[in-house]
Amino acid sequence: MKKLPLLGGLTPQQFLQEYWHKKPLLIRQAIPGFKPLLAKEELVAMAARDDVESRLVTHFGSRWQLHKGPFAQLPPFHKKAWTTLIQGVNLHHDGANALMQQFRFIPDARLDDLMISYATDTGGVGPHFDSYDVFLLQAYGQRLWRIGPQKDLTLVEGLPVKILQNFKAEQEFLLEPGDMLYLPPHYAHDGIAVGECMTYSIGFRTPSFQELGEGFLQFMAESIELPGRYADPDLPVTSKPAEINNAMLSRVAETLRKIKFTDDDVAIFLGEYLSELKPTVFFDPPARSTSLSRFLQLADKRGVQLSRKTRMLYRGRHVFINGESFVAGGADRRPLVKLADRRQLAPEDVANASKDVRETLHAWHEDGWISLRKPG
Ligand code: SIN
Ligand code: CO
């Protein structure tokens, strides 16, 4: 595998072995000469949209405050100590989406989103920890990161933002545009803007086992089949009518123990769960619908690409897209797996696909899940 400047000259394999989920890594000039993809005015405009998740954290005086967007107005740029954080910029902006794709040496199942923060001088979200891995790319201006491996993760009580009670930094780095800091989950950190600055966070998902378990049981509720009904032809007379008797308990327990699940069930659950979109995400179907034959004519010439918003995964013969799953057997699997891995299909891949796949691509086009590739 190639050594990447993005990882400070490490190969993705070396990075994963030595740092990923283990220890921080500072990478000077991970993207040399990096220029911000969006101006602060564009971020402010995004913070005003109701289909974009945004927050405002202020530290005026010594008081932490948190507000949830959308924001018709943010504090003035000349006022110190505030920061706005815009989640999922990759869903709305091609450049941000392309930047996030550089991190696909990590599976999509783990990738979450690209968040952008804009802060005025001294702004930040305070000393805290996150429960996920994150790459913090400095996009504009300077930010002082103070970080430490502390075990004491007690938070200050009663604050609207997560602030560590006893933050002790062990290292300090001043990040310039193009520099990047990788932090594993639970590594304490505090990023303070030195002058106005913008930071891009490429964040990963680490679902809790509780969340997975609850989701899986909901999924199983839709797929279990337990025929028959409770019966007790041997019921004795009771002198304790309010008691649930042993016979009932053991018969029901025995039946419930018959609920089994296979790795295939887990795969389908995971695929549907991890390809599900956040509730704020909506697709923009094309303004005019395109007939199947017209779509195929164009797709055979131009190929297709996934929308920035589409989440597509696969496992064996199961293919998952935006929370839905289906089985793609035989020759149907190949083009769909290619589309998921490359997020696009060349014209010849579309042309060679089966009738079923071609019709499916048309349906996805009508939903706004995929689009025709730009001509040329
Ligand atoms: C920020 O960009 O200000 C916050 C990122 C973080 O600390 O997780
Ligand atoms: Co953080």
PDB file of all heavy atoms in Angstrom, residues 55 83-85 115-119 123-130 132 134-138 143 145 183 189-193 197-201, ligand 1:
ATOM      1  N   ARG A  55     -24.922  23.842  15.406  1.00  0.00           N
ATOM      2  CA  ARG A  55     -24.904  24.241  16.819  1.00  0.00           C
ATOM      3  C   ARG A  55     -24.112  25.536  16.954  1.00  0.00           C
ATOM      4  O   ARG A  55     -23.264  25.850  16.124  1.00  0.00           O
ATOM      5  CB  ARG A  55     -24.195  23.177  17.670  1.00  0.00           C
ATOM      6  CG  ARG A  55     -25.006  21.938  17.952  1.00  0.00           C
ATOM      7  CD  ARG A  55     -24.141  20.880  18.598  1.00  0.00           C
ATOM      8  NE  ARG A  55     -23.178  20.344  17.650  1.00  0.00           N
ATOM      9  CZ  ARG A  55     -22.033  19.754  17.982  1.00  0.00           C
ATOM     10  NH1 ARG A  55     -21.675  19.652  19.249  1.00  0.00           N
ATOM     11  NH2 ARG A  55     -21.219  19.276  17.058  1.00  0.00           N
ATOM     12  N   THR A  83     -18.331  29.791  18.642  1.00  0.00           N
ATOM     13  CA  THR A  83     -18.063  28.872  17.541  1.00  0.00           C
ATOM     14  C   THR A  83     -19.368  28.263  17.053  1.00  0.00           C
ATOM     15  O   THR A  83     -20.268  27.997  17.852  1.00  0.00           O
ATOM     16  CB  THR A  83     -17.047  27.770  17.945  1.00  0.00           C
ATOM     17  OG1 THR A  83     -16.816  26.910  16.822  1.00  0.00           O
ATOM     18  CG2 THR A  83     -17.521  26.902  19.087  1.00  0.00           C
ATOM     19  N   THR A  84     -19.455  28.109  15.732  1.00  0.00           N
ATOM     20  CA  THR A  84     -20.614  27.401  15.195  1.00  0.00           C
ATOM     21  C   THR A  84     -20.109  26.123  14.535  1.00  0.00           C
ATOM     22  O   THR A  84     -19.034  26.100  13.937  1.00  0.00           O
ATOM     23  CB  THR A  84     -21.441  28.268  14.228  1.00  0.00           C
ATOM     24  OG1 THR A  84     -22.599  27.516  13.831  1.00  0.00           O
ATOM     25  CG2 THR A  84     -20.692  28.674  12.983  1.00  0.00           C
ATOM     26  N   LEU A  85     -20.874  25.047  14.721  1.00  0.00           N
ATOM     27  CA  LEU A  85     -20.449  23.738  14.226  1.00  0.00           C
ATOM     28  C   LEU A  85     -21.521  23.214  13.273  1.00  0.00           C
ATOM     29  O   LEU A  85     -22.697  23.130  13.651  1.00  0.00           O
ATOM     30  CB  LEU A  85     -20.257  22.769  15.407  1.00  0.00           C
ATOM     31  CG  LEU A  85     -19.311  23.318  16.481  1.00  0.00           C
ATOM     32  CD1 LEU A  85     -20.054  23.562  17.765  1.00  0.00           C
ATOM     33  CD2 LEU A  85     -18.128  22.424  16.697  1.00  0.00           C
ATOM     34  N   MET A 115     -17.683  17.454   9.633  1.00  0.00           N
ATOM     35  CA  MET A 115     -18.247  18.609  10.332  1.00  0.00           C
ATOM     36  C   MET A 115     -17.283  19.774  10.148  1.00  0.00           C
ATOM     37  O   MET A 115     -16.074  19.576  10.169  1.00  0.00           O
ATOM     38  CB  MET A 115     -18.396  18.271  11.823  1.00  0.00           C
ATOM     39  CG  MET A 115     -18.900  19.418  12.662  1.00  0.00           C
ATOM     40  SD  MET A 115     -18.850  19.013  14.422  1.00  0.00           S
ATOM     41  CE  MET A 115     -17.175  19.499  14.847  1.00  0.00           C
ATOM     42  N   ILE A 116     -17.837  20.962   9.994  1.00  0.00           N
ATOM     43  CA  ILE A 116     -16.960  22.144   9.929  1.00  0.00           C
ATOM     44  C   ILE A 116     -17.308  23.077  11.071  1.00  0.00           C
ATOM     45  O   ILE A 116     -18.490  23.337  11.334  1.00  0.00           O
ATOM     46  CB  ILE A 116     -17.112  22.887   8.576  1.00  0.00           C
ATOM     47  CG1 ILE A 116     -16.744  21.939   7.416  1.00  0.00           C
ATOM     48  CG2 ILE A 116     -16.252  24.135   8.558  1.00  0.00           C
ATOM     49  CD1 ILE A 116     -16.714  22.623   6.044  1.00  0.00           C
ATOM     50  N   SER A 117     -16.245  23.533  11.758  1.00  0.00           N
ATOM     51  CA  SER A 117     -16.494  24.543  12.788  1.00  0.00           C
ATOM     52  C   SER A 117     -15.830  25.843  12.374  1.00  0.00           C
ATOM     53  O   SER A 117     -14.742  25.836  11.797  1.00  0.00           O
ATOM     54  CB  SER A 117     -15.971  24.072  14.144  1.00  0.00           C
ATOM     55  OG  SER A 117     -14.565  24.027  14.128  1.00  0.00           O
ATOM     56  N   TYR A 118     -16.538  26.909  12.662  1.00  0.00           N
ATOM     57  CA  TYR A 118     -15.943  28.237  12.499  1.00  0.00           C
ATOM     58  C   TYR A 118     -15.909  28.858  13.899  1.00  0.00           C
ATOM     59  O   TYR A 118     -16.914  28.807  14.625  1.00  0.00           O
ATOM     60  CB  TYR A 118     -16.800  29.119  11.576  1.00  0.00           C
ATOM     61  CG  TYR A 118     -16.419  30.577  11.708  1.00  0.00           C
ATOM     62  CD1 TYR A 118     -15.332  31.082  10.992  1.00  0.00           C
ATOM     63  CD2 TYR A 118     -17.081  31.415  12.604  1.00  0.00           C
ATOM     64  CE1 TYR A 118     -14.937  32.399  11.157  1.00  0.00           C
ATOM     65  CE2 TYR A 118     -16.687  32.738  12.767  1.00  0.00           C
ATOM     66  CZ  TYR A 118     -15.614  33.230  12.046  1.00  0.00           C
ATOM     67  OH  TYR A 118     -15.208  34.517  12.229  1.00  0.00           O
ATOM     68  N   ALA A 119     -14.761  29.386  14.301  1.00  0.00           N
ATOM     69  CA  ALA A 119     -14.668  30.009  15.629  1.00  0.00           C
ATOM     70  C   ALA A 119     -14.025  31.376  15.522  1.00  0.00           C
ATOM     71  O   ALA A 119     -13.134  31.586  14.698  1.00  0.00           O
ATOM     72  CB  ALA A 119     -13.848  29.131  16.560  1.00  0.00           C
ATOM     73  N   GLY A 123     -12.457  31.092  20.654  1.00  0.00           N
ATOM     74  CA  GLY A 123     -13.634  30.221  20.608  1.00  0.00           C
ATOM     75  C   GLY A 123     -13.250  28.753  20.595  1.00  0.00           C
ATOM     76  O   GLY A 123     -12.139  28.368  20.228  1.00  0.00           O
ATOM     77  N   GLY A 124     -14.209  27.921  21.008  1.00  0.00           N
ATOM     78  CA  GLY A 124     -14.005  26.472  21.034  1.00  0.00           C
ATOM     79  C   GLY A 124     -15.139  25.836  21.812  1.00  0.00           C
ATOM     80  O   GLY A 124     -16.051  26.540  22.274  1.00  0.00           O
ATOM     81  N   VAL A 125     -15.110  24.519  21.936  1.00  0.00           N
ATOM     82  CA  VAL A 125     -16.198  23.854  22.675  1.00  0.00           C
ATOM     83  C   VAL A 125     -15.747  23.404  24.057  1.00  0.00           C
ATOM     84  O   VAL A 125     -16.476  22.703  24.747  1.00  0.00           O
ATOM     85  CB  VAL A 125     -16.800  22.670  21.872  1.00  0.00           C
ATOM     86  CG1 VAL A 125     -17.428  23.160  20.581  1.00  0.00           C
ATOM     87  CG2 VAL A 125     -15.754  21.600  21.581  1.00  0.00           C
ATOM     88  N   GLY A 126     -14.516  23.835  24.459  1.00  0.00           N
ATOM     89  CA  GLY A 126     -14.033  23.516  25.797  1.00  0.00           C
ATOM     90  C   GLY A 126     -13.380  22.152  25.866  1.00  0.00           C
ATOM     91  O   GLY A 126     -13.458  21.353  24.926  1.00  0.00           O
ATOM     92  N   PRO A 127     -12.697  21.888  27.026  1.00  0.00           N
ATOM     93  CA  PRO A 127     -12.023  20.589  27.179  1.00  0.00           C
ATOM     94  C   PRO A 127     -13.034  19.460  27.329  1.00  0.00           C
ATOM     95  O   PRO A 127     -13.922  19.545  28.176  1.00  0.00           O
ATOM     96  CB  PRO A 127     -11.195  20.757  28.461  1.00  0.00           C
ATOM     97  CG  PRO A 127     -11.784  21.917  29.169  1.00  0.00           C
ATOM     98  CD  PRO A 127     -12.469  22.776  28.164  1.00  0.00           C
ATOM     99  N   HIS A 128     -12.932  18.449  26.491  1.00  0.00           N
ATOM    100  CA  HIS A 128     -13.931  17.374  26.481  1.00  0.00           C
ATOM    101  C   HIS A 128     -13.314  16.107  25.890  1.00  0.00           C
ATOM    102  O   HIS A 128     -12.136  16.091  25.519  1.00  0.00           O
ATOM    103  CB  HIS A 128     -15.157  17.807  25.669  1.00  0.00           C
ATOM    104  CG  HIS A 128     -14.872  17.944  24.203  1.00  0.00           C
ATOM    105  ND1 HIS A 128     -14.182  19.001  23.674  1.00  0.00           N
ATOM    106  CD2 HIS A 128     -15.145  17.139  23.145  1.00  0.00           C
ATOM    107  CE1 HIS A 128     -14.057  18.862  22.375  1.00  0.00           C
ATOM    108  NE2 HIS A 128     -14.626  17.717  22.019  1.00  0.00           N
ATOM    109  N   PHE A 129     -14.131  15.077  25.762  1.00  0.00           N
ATOM    110  CA  PHE A 129     -13.716  13.885  25.015  1.00  0.00           C
ATOM    111  C   PHE A 129     -14.884  13.500  24.117  1.00  0.00           C
ATOM    112  O   PHE A 129     -16.021  13.890  24.361  1.00  0.00           O
ATOM    113  CB  PHE A 129     -13.346  12.733  25.968  1.00  0.00           C
ATOM    114  CG  PHE A 129     -14.505  12.242  26.776  1.00  0.00           C
ATOM    115  CD1 PHE A 129     -15.276  11.172  26.326  1.00  0.00           C
ATOM    116  CD2 PHE A 129     -14.853  12.844  27.977  1.00  0.00           C
ATOM    117  CE1 PHE A 129     -16.366  10.720  27.053  1.00  0.00           C
ATOM    118  CE2 PHE A 129     -15.951  12.408  28.704  1.00  0.00           C
ATOM    119  CZ  PHE A 129     -16.713  11.345  28.241  1.00  0.00           C
ATOM    120  N   ASP A 130     -14.582  12.738  23.096  1.00  0.00           N
ATOM    121  CA  ASP A 130     -15.637  12.222  22.219  1.00  0.00           C
ATOM    122  C   ASP A 130     -15.596  10.701  22.298  1.00  0.00           C
ATOM    123  O   ASP A 130     -14.577  10.127  22.669  1.00  0.00           O
ATOM    124  CB  ASP A 130     -15.399  12.679  20.770  1.00  0.00           C
ATOM    125  CG  ASP A 130     -15.419  14.200  20.645  1.00  0.00           C
ATOM    126  OD1 ASP A 130     -16.431  14.805  21.012  1.00  0.00           O
ATOM    127  OD2 ASP A 130     -14.399  14.779  20.222  1.00  0.00           O
ATOM    128  N   TYR A 132     -15.918   8.811  19.702  1.00  0.00           N
ATOM    129  CA  TYR A 132     -15.582   8.302  18.373  1.00  0.00           C
ATOM    130  C   TYR A 132     -14.198   8.787  17.957  1.00  0.00           C
ATOM    131  O   TYR A 132     -13.642   9.697  18.565  1.00  0.00           O
ATOM    132  CB  TYR A 132     -16.623   8.757  17.359  1.00  0.00           C
ATOM    133  CG  TYR A 132     -16.956  10.226  17.464  1.00  0.00           C
ATOM    134  CD1 TYR A 132     -16.121  11.180  16.917  1.00  0.00           C
ATOM    135  CD2 TYR A 132     -18.095  10.661  18.149  1.00  0.00           C
ATOM    136  CE1 TYR A 132     -16.402  12.522  17.039  1.00  0.00           C
ATOM    137  CE2 TYR A 132     -18.383  12.011  18.279  1.00  0.00           C
ATOM    138  CZ  TYR A 132     -17.537  12.921  17.717  1.00  0.00           C
ATOM    139  OH  TYR A 132     -17.808  14.258  17.839  1.00  0.00           O
ATOM    140  N   VAL A 134     -11.619  10.667  15.440  1.00  0.00           N
ATOM    141  CA  VAL A 134     -11.794  11.891  14.643  1.00  0.00           C
ATOM    142  C   VAL A 134     -10.456  12.380  14.069  1.00  0.00           C
ATOM    143  O   VAL A 134      -9.418  12.257  14.718  1.00  0.00           O
ATOM    144  CB  VAL A 134     -12.492  12.993  15.488  1.00  0.00           C
ATOM    145  CG1 VAL A 134     -11.627  13.463  16.646  1.00  0.00           C
ATOM    146  CG2 VAL A 134     -12.919  14.175  14.646  1.00  0.00           C
ATOM    147  N   PHE A 135     -10.516  12.835  12.822  1.00  0.00           N
ATOM    148  CA  PHE A 135      -9.383  13.546  12.222  1.00  0.00           C
ATOM    149  C   PHE A 135      -9.756  15.015  12.221  1.00  0.00           C
ATOM    150  O   PHE A 135     -10.799  15.385  11.650  1.00  0.00           O
ATOM    151  CB  PHE A 135      -9.156  13.105  10.772  1.00  0.00           C
ATOM    152  CG  PHE A 135      -8.622  11.713  10.620  1.00  0.00           C
ATOM    153  CD1 PHE A 135      -9.489  10.642  10.450  1.00  0.00           C
ATOM    154  CD2 PHE A 135      -7.247  11.467  10.629  1.00  0.00           C
ATOM    155  CE1 PHE A 135      -8.993   9.348  10.285  1.00  0.00           C
ATOM    156  CE2 PHE A 135      -6.752  10.179  10.469  1.00  0.00           C
ATOM    157  CZ  PHE A 135      -7.624   9.114  10.298  1.00  0.00           C
ATOM    158  N   LEU A 136      -8.923  15.847  12.845  1.00  0.00           N
ATOM    159  CA  LEU A 136      -9.202  17.282  12.927  1.00  0.00           C
ATOM    160  C   LEU A 136      -8.255  18.010  11.985  1.00  0.00           C
ATOM    161  O   LEU A 136      -7.061  18.141  12.268  1.00  0.00           O
ATOM    162  CB  LEU A 136      -9.003  17.758  14.364  1.00  0.00           C
ATOM    163  CG  LEU A 136      -9.918  17.080  15.394  1.00  0.00           C
ATOM    164  CD1 LEU A 136      -9.272  17.035  16.775  1.00  0.00           C
ATOM    165  CD2 LEU A 136     -11.256  17.795  15.451  1.00  0.00           C
ATOM    166  N   LEU A 137      -8.792  18.419  10.866  1.00  0.00           N
ATOM    167  CA  LEU A 137      -7.973  19.075   9.845  1.00  0.00           C
ATOM    168  C   LEU A 137      -8.137  20.584   9.986  1.00  0.00           C
ATOM    169  O   LEU A 137      -9.262  21.093   9.943  1.00  0.00           O
ATOM    170  CB  LEU A 137      -8.458  18.616   8.453  1.00  0.00           C
ATOM    171  CG  LEU A 137      -7.850  19.334   7.241  1.00  0.00           C
ATOM    172  CD1 LEU A 137      -6.368  19.007   7.079  1.00  0.00           C
ATOM    173  CD2 LEU A 137      -8.611  18.956   5.965  1.00  0.00           C
ATOM    174  N   GLN A 138      -7.005  21.275  10.150  1.00  0.00           N
ATOM    175  CA  GLN A 138      -7.084  22.732  10.256  1.00  0.00           C
ATOM    176  C   GLN A 138      -7.250  23.303   8.848  1.00  0.00           C
ATOM    177  O   GLN A 138      -6.454  23.003   7.958  1.00  0.00           O
ATOM    178  CB  GLN A 138      -5.811  23.267  10.952  1.00  0.00           C
ATOM    179  CG  GLN A 138      -5.912  24.719  11.369  1.00  0.00           C
ATOM    180  CD  GLN A 138      -7.089  24.987  12.307  1.00  0.00           C
ATOM    181  OE1 GLN A 138      -7.579  24.092  12.988  1.00  0.00           O
ATOM    182  NE2 GLN A 138      -7.586  26.205  12.317  1.00  0.00           N
ATOM    183  N   ARG A 143      -5.348  26.973  15.332  1.00  0.00           N
ATOM    184  CA  ARG A 143      -6.034  26.472  16.522  1.00  0.00           C
ATOM    185  C   ARG A 143      -5.003  25.785  17.410  1.00  0.00           C
ATOM    186  O   ARG A 143      -4.179  24.996  16.933  1.00  0.00           O
ATOM    187  CB  ARG A 143      -7.145  25.494  16.147  1.00  0.00           C
ATOM    188  CG  ARG A 143      -7.974  25.047  17.343  1.00  0.00           C
ATOM    189  CD  ARG A 143      -9.029  24.042  16.937  1.00  0.00           C
ATOM    190  NE  ARG A 143     -10.184  24.629  16.289  1.00  0.00           N
ATOM    191  CZ  ARG A 143     -11.266  25.098  16.944  1.00  0.00           C
ATOM    192  NH1 ARG A 143     -11.308  25.063  18.247  1.00  0.00           N
ATOM    193  NH2 ARG A 143     -12.282  25.592  16.276  1.00  0.00           N
ATOM    194  N   TRP A 145      -4.353  23.078  19.969  1.00  0.00           N
ATOM    195  CA  TRP A 145      -4.944  21.855  20.531  1.00  0.00           C
ATOM    196  C   TRP A 145      -4.146  21.451  21.748  1.00  0.00           C
ATOM    197  O   TRP A 145      -2.919  21.306  21.678  1.00  0.00           O
ATOM    198  CB  TRP A 145      -4.943  20.707  19.502  1.00  0.00           C
ATOM    199  CG  TRP A 145      -6.018  20.861  18.475  1.00  0.00           C
ATOM    200  CD1 TRP A 145      -5.855  21.284  17.190  1.00  0.00           C
ATOM    201  CD2 TRP A 145      -7.425  20.624  18.656  1.00  0.00           C
ATOM    202  NE1 TRP A 145      -7.085  21.316  16.551  1.00  0.00           N
ATOM    203  CE2 TRP A 145      -8.056  20.916  17.427  1.00  0.00           C
ATOM    204  CE3 TRP A 145      -8.206  20.190  19.733  1.00  0.00           C
ATOM    205  CZ2 TRP A 145      -9.429  20.796  17.239  1.00  0.00           C
ATOM    206  CZ3 TRP A 145      -9.558  20.070  19.550  1.00  0.00           C
ATOM    207  CH2 TRP A 145     -10.164  20.370  18.319  1.00  0.00           C
ATOM    208  N   LEU A 183      -7.363  11.811  16.659  1.00  0.00           N
ATOM    209  CA  LEU A 183      -7.585  11.456  18.058  1.00  0.00           C
ATOM    210  C   LEU A 183      -8.450  10.197  18.154  1.00  0.00           C
ATOM    211  O   LEU A 183      -9.500  10.111  17.512  1.00  0.00           O
ATOM    212  CB  LEU A 183      -8.320  12.580  18.805  1.00  0.00           C
ATOM    213  CG  LEU A 183      -7.577  13.890  19.006  1.00  0.00           C
ATOM    214  CD1 LEU A 183      -8.497  14.900  19.688  1.00  0.00           C
ATOM    215  CD2 LEU A 183      -6.308  13.687  19.833  1.00  0.00           C
ATOM    216  N   HIS A 189      -9.408  16.476  24.894  1.00  0.00           N
ATOM    217  CA  HIS A 189      -8.843  17.513  24.036  1.00  0.00           C
ATOM    218  C   HIS A 189      -9.587  18.836  24.191  1.00  0.00           C
ATOM    219  O   HIS A 189     -10.746  18.866  24.580  1.00  0.00           O
ATOM    220  CB  HIS A 189      -8.824  17.079  22.567  1.00  0.00           C
ATOM    221  CG  HIS A 189     -10.162  16.638  22.026  1.00  0.00           C
ATOM    222  ND1 HIS A 189     -10.743  15.427  22.329  1.00  0.00           N
ATOM    223  CD2 HIS A 189     -11.022  17.246  21.169  1.00  0.00           C
ATOM    224  CE1 HIS A 189     -11.886  15.310  21.686  1.00  0.00           C
ATOM    225  NE2 HIS A 189     -12.098  16.404  20.988  1.00  0.00           N
ATOM    226  N   ASP A 190      -8.848  19.892  23.886  1.00  0.00           N
ATOM    227  CA  ASP A 190      -9.408  21.243  23.958  1.00  0.00           C
ATOM    228  C   ASP A 190      -8.790  22.042  22.818  1.00  0.00           C
ATOM    229  O   ASP A 190      -7.573  22.207  22.768  1.00  0.00           O
ATOM    230  CB  ASP A 190      -9.033  21.866  25.320  1.00  0.00           C
ATOM    231  CG  ASP A 190      -9.699  23.221  25.518  1.00  0.00           C
ATOM    232  OD1 ASP A 190     -10.638  23.548  24.763  1.00  0.00           O
ATOM    233  OD2 ASP A 190      -9.275  23.946  26.448  1.00  0.00           O
ATOM    234  N   GLY A 191      -9.628  22.490  21.905  1.00  0.00           N
ATOM    235  CA  GLY A 191      -9.104  23.230  20.756  1.00  0.00           C
ATOM    236  C   GLY A 191      -9.519  24.688  20.855  1.00  0.00           C
ATOM    237  O   GLY A 191     -10.713  24.982  20.842  1.00  0.00           O
ATOM    238  N   ILE A 192      -8.531  25.554  20.968  1.00  0.00           N
ATOM    239  CA  ILE A 192      -8.834  26.974  21.162  1.00  0.00           C
ATOM    240  C   ILE A 192      -8.399  27.760  19.928  1.00  0.00           C
ATOM    241  O   ILE A 192      -7.244  27.666  19.500  1.00  0.00           O
ATOM    242  CB  ILE A 192      -8.097  27.507  22.420  1.00  0.00           C
ATOM    243  CG1 ILE A 192      -8.479  26.639  23.632  1.00  0.00           C
ATOM    244  CG2 ILE A 192      -8.398  28.967  22.680  1.00  0.00           C
ATOM    245  CD1 ILE A 192      -7.408  26.593  24.688  1.00  0.00           C
ATOM    246  N   ALA A 193      -9.335  28.512  19.381  1.00  0.00           N
ATOM    247  CA  ALA A 193      -9.023  29.312  18.191  1.00  0.00           C
ATOM    248  C   ALA A 193      -8.040  30.422  18.550  1.00  0.00           C
ATOM    249  O   ALA A 193      -8.216  31.125  19.544  1.00  0.00           O
ATOM    250  CB  ALA A 193     -10.308  29.912  17.621  1.00  0.00           C
ATOM    251  N   CYS A 197     -10.754  30.992  13.150  1.00  0.00           N
ATOM    252  CA  CYS A 197     -10.278  29.773  12.497  1.00  0.00           C
ATOM    253  C   CYS A 197     -11.409  28.839  12.093  1.00  0.00           C
ATOM    254  O   CYS A 197     -12.549  28.962  12.558  1.00  0.00           O
ATOM    255  CB  CYS A 197      -9.245  29.048  13.369  1.00  0.00           C
ATOM    256  SG  CYS A 197      -9.890  27.896  14.576  1.00  0.00           S
ATOM    257  N   MET A 198     -11.064  27.927  11.186  1.00  0.00           N
ATOM    258  CA  MET A 198     -12.018  26.889  10.775  1.00  0.00           C
ATOM    259  C   MET A 198     -11.324  25.529  10.865  1.00  0.00           C
ATOM    260  O   MET A 198     -10.166  25.393  10.450  1.00  0.00           O
ATOM    261  CB  MET A 198     -12.487  27.119   9.345  1.00  0.00           C
ATOM    262  CG  MET A 198     -13.439  28.288   9.216  1.00  0.00           C
ATOM    263  SD  MET A 198     -14.205  28.284   7.592  1.00  0.00           S
ATOM    264  CE  MET A 198     -13.383  29.677   6.849  1.00  0.00           C
ATOM    265  N   THR A 199     -12.056  24.575  11.409  1.00  0.00           N
ATOM    266  CA  THR A 199     -11.530  23.211  11.572  1.00  0.00           C
ATOM    267  C   THR A 199     -12.512  22.238  10.948  1.00  0.00           C
ATOM    268  O   THR A 199     -13.723  22.364  11.147  1.00  0.00           O
ATOM    269  CB  THR A 199     -11.350  22.898  13.077  1.00  0.00           C
ATOM    270  OG1 THR A 199     -10.485  23.872  13.655  1.00  0.00           O
ATOM    271  CG2 THR A 199     -10.759  21.510  13.292  1.00  0.00           C
ATOM    272  N   TYR A 200     -12.001  21.283  10.199  1.00  0.00           N
ATOM    273  CA  TYR A 200     -12.842  20.246   9.589  1.00  0.00           C
ATOM    274  C   TYR A 200     -12.637  18.957  10.384  1.00  0.00           C
ATOM    275  O   TYR A 200     -11.507  18.513  10.550  1.00  0.00           O
ATOM    276  CB  TYR A 200     -12.436  19.979   8.133  1.00  0.00           C
ATOM    277  CG  TYR A 200     -12.722  21.112   7.157  1.00  0.00           C
ATOM    278  CD1 TYR A 200     -13.125  22.370   7.594  1.00  0.00           C
ATOM    279  CD2 TYR A 200     -12.595  20.911   5.783  1.00  0.00           C
ATOM    280  CE1 TYR A 200     -13.390  23.389   6.691  1.00  0.00           C
ATOM    281  CE2 TYR A 200     -12.856  21.925   4.874  1.00  0.00           C
ATOM    282  CZ  TYR A 200     -13.247  23.171   5.339  1.00  0.00           C
ATOM    283  OH  TYR A 200     -13.507  24.189   4.449  1.00  0.00           O
ATOM    284  N   SER A 201     -13.719  18.375  10.848  1.00  0.00           N
ATOM    285  CA  SER A 201     -13.613  17.103  11.596  1.00  0.00           C
ATOM    286  C   SER A 201     -14.187  15.979  10.757  1.00  0.00           C
ATOM    287  O   SER A 201     -15.365  16.008  10.403  1.00  0.00           O
ATOM    288  CB  SER A 201     -14.448  17.139  12.875  1.00  0.00           C
ATOM    289  OG  SER A 201     -14.059  18.188  13.696  1.00  0.00           O
TER     290      SER A 201
HETATM  291  C1  SIN B   1     -14.249  22.022  16.885  1.00  0.00           C
HETATM  292  O1  SIN B   1     -14.014  21.878  15.686  1.00  0.00           O
HETATM  293  O2  SIN B   1     -14.248  23.130  17.416  1.00  0.00           O
HETATM  294  C2  SIN B   1     -14.578  20.872  17.785  1.00  0.00           C
HETATM  295  C3  SIN B   1     -14.039  19.594  17.348  1.00  0.00           C
HETATM  296  C4  SIN B   1     -13.890  18.677  18.541  1.00  0.00           C
HETATM  297  O3  SIN B   1     -13.238  19.005  19.496  1.00  0.00           O
HETATM  298  O4  SIN B   1     -14.399  17.563  18.516  1.00  0.00           O
END
